[in-house]
Amino acid sequence: MASNVEAPERWYLALLGFAEHFRTSSPPKIRLCVHCLQAVFQFKPPQRIEARTHLQLGSVLYHHTKNSELARNHLEKAWFISQQLPQFEDVKFEAASILSELFCQQNLVDSAKPLLRKAIQISQQTPYWHCRLLFQLAQLHTLEKDLVSACDLLGVGAEYARVVGSEYTRALFLLSKGMLLLMERKLGEVHPLLTLCGTIVENWQGNPIQKESLRVFFLVLQVTHYLDAGQVKSVKPCLKQLQQCIQTISTLQDDEILPTNPADLFHWLPKEHMCVLVYLVTVMHSMQAGYLEKAQKYTDKALMQLEKLKMLDCSPILSTFQVILLEHIIMCRLVTGHKATALQEISQVCQLCQQSPRLFNNHAAQLHTLLGLYCISVNCMDNAEAQFTTALRLTTHQELWTYIVTNLASVYIREGNRHQELYGLLERINPDHNFPVSSHCLRAAAFYIRGLLSFFQGRYNEAKRFLRETLKMSNAEDLNRLTACSLVLLGHIFYVLGNHRESNNMVVPAMQLASKIPDMSVQLWSSALLKDLNKALGNNIDAHEAAQMHQNFSQQLLQDHIAACSLPEHNLISWTDGPPPVQIQAQNGPTTSLASLL
């Protein structure tokens, strides 16, 4: 009698052991694993074993094969059978979770939502699964850009975590909600929520790695909030805290002791991902502040770390990190006079976006913006206009929209014959009245654009007013590139007005700052002015030295210009519709001329 009772368990464990052996083989033998699991059904097992086996088959097929229909069939059976069995939560809710993932992969979001809602409704006595399913449904709404529903769910999760005594997971829900509120620009709601989060994080006593990871999440939100607002100087204390925090995490040993509260069984990000993220926000800061060599150094470190991680981990967030890093370093290259390298990195972003429609959907506007900036740098103004117009059509992000409009206005100013379009744009980014975003940096740039236009129109007193406003704002937040650009343009105005001493007082610090950044265009412009200024002041030796500098900068820019326009990737400047082109045909040398950068 005893042997009859034990027999089913023995055959089941044997088949399960074989299946696991084949699944974890190197390389995995998925077909044999599936055969072993399917063999379980031949023995007409009890419902618990039947449901668990359907879940295991569905999971293996979903994660390791392209047979999504068969995976779906098994997962639906696991979900159906497990709902009829008492105390079978793990199988029931894991089946619902994976099945909803599969539905999303098949673009059946309307099937995933009610499934997750049902699972959330019946999981309230199972804290871990209830929280996990709430996170999953909130993420689904976020991917659909329904941030209001996602925030509501995260609020429900935060309250539930508080009731079940998990301050750690409550903080995770609240920080996630804070992230979405920042995305929605609901700053009035963000500030009290971040204050509450700061208090919860500091008061929570638990696993040191979990505590520090909460602090990283909190500080990343604070830093990105400052950077979105263009407050490069104000962010420094937070950024320093964040860098110290990630150093602390890297010295802590992973604690294998599981939390006693099942609702605490969550991690925000793996330690290695957090390191890359901190590098990333440091690059963002360095780029905005105009410390471009520092941005280059941290980008190199982050990309090296990403390459190592991507060998072992196919998480989509790593590709997102990589694209954002490349977007920032491309802008640095264009400023430092490395257009050919920038163009090759734009092509790299295109390749990454080809591999993921979602990534392309999220970064298409940025990609066209970068191409627009590249077109300006090689004096292809018609292409720059087309790229910026495409980017404007694709973005709903207010800060990016304002940034694109500012650059498009600079194109119209240079072309000199687009007055109607130019005034239409300037009216929409008027820094003195109803400026569309709260960004300090973008508002300072809008004053600079007004100053540039007034300069070209010969309205020098008006230009000086706008540029002094830019200088005041850029000095307040250490916006070095805007400071350098404003100084050299003011210097040019004073030179035209015949006030050589005042011009010199502007151009010399502009040159020093541009060399420190380094900003090749401002260096070229400053050296040209210094040559003429010193000649006018009778300083022949200094004039000769400035002329030599100007010649060197011109040669470097010309060589880089020819190299960039000779690359097959240069044809990307004509792409304004649909997904990135798969192959870029080579062309017969450069088709653009190096016009004066003044």
Side-chain angles (χ1 to χ4, degrees):
M1 186 73 182
S3 65
N4 286 343
V5 172
E6 289 167 14
E9 193 175 299
R10 283 206 298 268
W11 60 253
Y12 174 59
L13 292 176
L15 286 169
L16 208 57
F18 277 126
E20 186 61 7
H21 167 73
F22 291 131
R23 189 185 71 82
T24 56
S25 295
S26 186
K29 297 172 182 173
I30 298 303
R31 187 186 294 273
L32 292 172
C33 171
V34 168
H35 282 324
C36 290
L37 290 171
Q38 284 173 330
V40 170
F41 300 125
Q42 302 297 319
F43 292 86
K44 297 192 170 34
Q47 277 194 310
R48 284 176 178 270
I49 290 178
E50 185 186 356
R52 191 179 292 280
T53 306
H54 279 303
L55 171 61
Q56 288 161 332
L57 271 165
S59 180
V60 167
L61 290 164
Y62 171 63
H63 290 110
H64 299 281
T65 76
K66 293 180 180 176
N67 197 339
S68 51
E69 279 309 309
L70 190 56
R72 175 179 169 176
N73 183 266
H74 282 295
L75 290 167
E76 283 176 336
K77 285 179 179 172
W79 169 238
F80 177 74
I81 296 167
S82 59
Q83 285 179 79
Q84 302 165 37
L85 301 170
Q87 278 124 30
F88 210 43
E89 278 73 12
D90 277 359
V91 169
K92 180 165 38 187
F93 299 128
E94 191 172 347
S97 177
I98 299 174
L99 184 55
S100 67
E101 274 182 42
L102 189 147
F103 282 144
C104 290
Q105 194 183 69
Q106 295 181 317
N107 293 320
L108 299 170
V109 175
D110 288 338
S111 298
K113 285 182 196 168
L115 170 63
L116 284 171
R117 285 195 201 102
K118 172 79 184 291
I120 287 166
Q121 186 185 343
I122 61 176
S123 64
Q124 292 190 32
Q125 302 307 312
T126 316
Y128 167 74
W129 277 109
H130 191 66
C131 291
R132 179 168 158 177
L133 293 163
L134 280 166
F135 275 127
Q136 191 170 345
L137 185 54
Q139 184 180 29
L140 199 161
H141 281 300
T142 304
L143 292 173
E144 284 203 305
K145 298 191 166 43
D146 178 5
L147 301 188
V148 173
S149 297
C151 280
D152 287 346
L153 282 164
L154 293 168
V156 168
E159 180 56 22
Y160 176 84
R162 186 191 67 78
V163 169
V164 297
S166 173
E167 286 296 283
Y168 167 76
T169 301
R170 181 188 176 202
L172 276 182
F173 274 115
L174 289 172
L175 288 165
S176 302
K177 184 177 177 180
M179 180 172 67
L180 298 189
L181 289 171
L182 279 173
M183 287 165 66
E184 283 194 284
R185 300 292 176 267
K186 291 188 175 174
L187 303 184
E189 293 178 53
V190 169
H191 295 140
L193 188 129
L194 284 183
T195 304
L196 172 62
C197 287
T199 306
I200 294 171
V201 171
E202 289 311 310
N203 292 341
W204 186 70
Q205 301 300 318
N207 180 313
I209 286 187
Q210 283 184 308
K211 185 179 176 77
E212 289 303 311
S213 75
L214 283 179
R215 290 190 74 224
V216 169
F217 195 172
F218 172 69
L219 288 166
V220 162
L221 291 187
Q222 284 203 309
V223 169
T224 49
H225 179 34
Y226 276 117
L227 292 178
D228 262 359
Q231 295 175 317
V232 172
K233 187 177 183 179
S234 306
V235 76
K236 283 181 179 177
C238 277
L239 184 60
K240 193 171 182 182
Q241 270 185 287
L242 177 59
Q243 290 162 342
Q244 287 168 344
C245 198
I246 202 69
Q247 284 178 337
T248 304
I249 283 187
S250 58
T251 62
L252 292 171
Q253 293 298 312
D254 285 324
D255 196 345
E256 294 299 323
I257 302 167
L258 290 175
T260 51
N261 188 337
D264 284 346
L265 286 165
F266 293 95
H267 280 292
W268 173 50
L269 277 178
K271 201 159 52 171
E272 298 76 16
H273 292 199
M274 281 190 267
C275 288
V276 174
L277 181 58
V278 174
Y279 281 141
L280 174 55
V281 294
T282 304
V283 167
M284 289 165 72
H285 175 260
S286 301
M287 173 66 215
Q288 273 198 38
Y291 306 129
L292 302 194
E293 286 177 349
K294 187 177 177 184
Q296 172 70 63
K297 184 179 91 172
Y298 281 106
T299 299
D300 290 344
K301 284 185 174 184
L303 289 174
M304 201 181 301
Q305 182 92 345
L306 274 172
E307 286 306 314
K308 288 179 188 170
L309 289 173
K310 285 179 89 172
M311 289 176 191
L312 308 165
D313 183 349
C314 58
S315 173
I317 200 170
L318 296 180
S319 294
T320 301
F321 286 164
Q322 190 175 358
V323 166
I324 298 171
L325 280 163
L326 286 167
E327 285 169 356
H328 281 80
I329 202 60
I330 287 161
M331 290 189 281
C332 290
R333 307 268 195 224
L334 293 172
V335 172
T336 57
H338 298 96
K339 296 184 279 287
T341 309
L343 187 55
Q344 288 166 327
E345 285 165 340
I346 289 173
S347 178
Q348 201 180 332
V349 174
C350 287
Q351 288 164 22
L352 285 164
C353 287
Q354 281 164 9
Q355 295 161 21
S356 165
R358 183 176 289 155
L359 199 59
F360 175 64
N361 189 41
N362 290 336
H363 291 269
Q366 291 92 315
L367 195 43
H368 285 288
T369 304
L370 292 170
L371 280 166
L373 296 173
Y374 167 75
C375 291
I376 291 176
S377 76
V378 291
N379 201 40
C380 296
M381 294 301 166
D382 288 346
N383 296 98
E385 181 185 352
Q387 291 297 338
F388 289 139
T389 305
T390 302
L392 286 173
R393 191 182 76 240
L394 293 170
T395 191
T396 55
H397 189 282
Q398 273 298 104
E399 274 78 5
L400 181 58
W401 181 89
T402 308
Y403 179 79
I404 298 164
V405 167
T406 305
N407 282 285
L408 183 55
S410 80
V411 170
Y412 289 154
I413 290 170
R414 290 170 200 218
E415 289 185 318
N417 58 353
R418 305 294 295 278
H419 304 300
Q420 192 175 342
E421 295 97 325
L422 175 60
Y423 289 123
L425 287 182
L426 291 178
E427 198 52 45
R428 300 172 79 181
I429 54 163
N430 185 346
D432 285 320
H433 181 67
N434 287 339
F435 194 64
V437 292
S438 59
S439 171
H440 183 93
C441 180
L442 287 171
R443 188 161 168 260
F447 276 117
Y448 176 79
I449 287 293
R450 295 261 166 170
L452 187 66
L453 176 62
S454 299
F455 166 72
F456 276 112
Q457 292 175 334
R459 300 203 307 270
Y460 298 128
N461 284 334
E462 186 180 84
K464 282 191 280 184
R465 180 184 86 77
F466 287 128
L467 292 170
R468 282 176 177 141
E469 200 61 43
T470 305
L471 271 179
K472 186 171 77 177
M473 292 186 73
S474 54
N475 283 333
E477 283 293 344
D478 289 349
L479 303 169
N480 289 331
R481 282 201 65 227
L482 268 176
T483 301
C485 290
S486 303
L487 284 171
V488 74
L489 185 49
L490 274 168
H492 203 133
I493 290 167
F494 284 120
Y495 177 75
V496 171
L497 293 171
N499 189 341
H500 295 157
R501 293 286 172 198
E502 194 61 33
S503 176
N504 198 60
N505 289 342
M506 298 290 159
V507 179
V508 169
M511 184 60 151
Q512 289 168 344
L513 198 49
S515 305
K516 183 180 162 189
I517 290 170
D519 185 324
M520 187 66 86
S521 299
V522 175
Q523 284 176 297
L524 183 74
W525 190 353
S526 300
S527 58
L529 275 171
L530 284 172
K531 177 186 69 173
D532 295 340
L533 270 171
N534 282 305
K535 199 178 286 183
L537 292 166
N539 302 331
N540 292 330
I541 296 172
D542 289 343
H544 177 74
E545 190 181 314
Q548 191 59 53
M549 271 197 297
H550 187 262
Q551 176 69 15
N552 292 342
F553 292 135
S554 297
Q555 280 300 313
Q556 285 177 51
L557 280 167
L558 179 61
Q559 286 165 9
D560 183 50
H561 180 96
I562 293 167
C565 295
S566 302
L567 289 168
E569 290 89 346
H570 182 73
N571 280 340
L572 278 169
I573 68 173
S574 304
W575 162 60
T576 55
D577 194 36
V582 178
Q583 284 187 319
I584 302 148
Q585 297 301 315
Q587 59 182 43
N588 300 320
T591 58
T592 56
S593 61
L594 182 68
S596 167
L597 289 164
L598 298 186

